Each structure stands twice: as C-alpha cells, then as structure tokens.
Amino acid sequence: FRYIVNASFSGLFLLFSGFAVAGVLAYGEREADENVLNNLGTSVFDAVAQGGMVLCIMSVYPIMVMPMVAPLKTSQSHRHFAGPVTIGIVVFSCAAAFPLRSLGLLSIVCGSLSVGIFCGLIPGLVGYFTLKKNIFPMTLLAVTMVIMTF
C-alpha cells in the first residue's frame, strides 16, 4: 500500500510540475488570471477551447455525484431518497458557488473544505464508529483538522 501511495503522489507531483512548467513556457512569467481561460484571446479557437471546458465540466459533474448517492440507490429502505438527495447536492453546490465570483477563491474554499472533511472529520468518525477508538482523540482529530483548514 505504501508503495502505491508513494508512486501515486510522485506521479501527481510530476504531472502538476509538468503543467506548471508548460504554463510558464507558454505564457511566460507574466501574471495569469485565476481562470486561465480568461488569458486566451478572442479568436474562434479560443471560444472553442472555452466551450470544450464547459462540456468537460458538465460531463464530469454527474460522475462526481454518482458515488455520493450510490449508497442510497443500493439501499432497499433508502432508495426513494436518491432523487431528492441528488437534487439537493446540485442545488447546494450552486447556492454555495453562486456568491463567489472568483474562481481562485472558490478553489480555495472547496480545497480547504475537502481537506478538513477527508483528512479530519471522516477519519475521526471512522476511528470512533468502526475501530471503536476513544472518542476524545477522534473528536480532537476531527475538530483540529476542520479548524486548521480555515
């Protein structure tokens, strides 16, 4: 497991570093906009690139939502909640993103929430409920990680 994690994160480091270097080579060291698509020009190819990005986002969003509602869809007693929960996820996502006009700020907020939830809250809950660990250190882990993300 350790080998897989190390190899995965090393691969991600190389991928992200490669994109950073490619960005500097393509755009130089000038300031890039938070939304890099705003740095494109106004040609037809630039409009096609922006439209393609919209299609990618629209295509990926259902893939991201499916694992969230999969437990409900497979449950005999909670199956009827799958539709309303899906609608709730979409409405909540739109409501949370709507007031944020900055893509950079939206990325920061989403990233910090993800770290707090996936690195603190969920491990603390799993440690308490499934591993039957002491509630105090698990609560301390969850609360500390959530607070540190902000």
Side-chain angles (χ1 to χ4, degrees):
F1 178 75
R2 185 179 299 160
Y3 172 76
I4 292 171
V5 170
N6 288 338
S8 299
F9 279 99
S10 297
L12 283 174
F13 174 78
L14 292 174
L15 179 69
F16 291 152
S17 298
F19 270 101
V21 169
V24 169
L25 292 174
Y27 294 106
E29 294 186 25
R30 66 186 168 108
E31 184 79 21
D33 193 89
E34 294 172 341
N35 181 353
V36 73
L37 294 176
N38 290 339
N39 288 3
L40 298 175
T42 56
S43 73
V44 173
F45 295 112
D46 299 327
V48 169
Q50 290 178 342
M53 193 64 196
V54 169
L55 287 174
C56 288
I57 293 168
M58 289 172 50
S59 300
V60 168
Y61 195 80
I63 296 170
M64 301 298 275
V65 172
M66 284 171 32
M68 295 182 214
V69 295
L72 295 174
K73 287 184 176 183
T74 58
S75 170
Q76 294 296 327
S77 59
H78 297 95
R79 184 176 303 199
H80 59 281
F81 290 117
V85 168
T86 302
I87 292 169
I89 290 170
V90 172
V91 168
F92 180 75
S93 298
C94 290
F98 185 73
L100 299 175
R101 294 288 173 215
S102 166
L103 185 61
L105 180 61
L106 182 62
S107 296
I108 290 168
V109 169
C110 289
S112 66
L113 283 173
S114 295
V115 168
I117 291 170
F118 295 120
C119 296
L121 186 62
I122 291 176
L125 292 173
V126 167
Y128 177 69
F129 286 109
T130 62
L131 301 177
K132 305 296 184 211
K133 297 287 184 180
N134 188 345
I135 190 166
F136 179 73
M138 294 299 108
T139 304
L140 186 63
L141 168 71
V143 170
T144 302
M145 285 302 294
V146 170
I147 289 172
M148 288 178 62
T149 59
F150 294 102

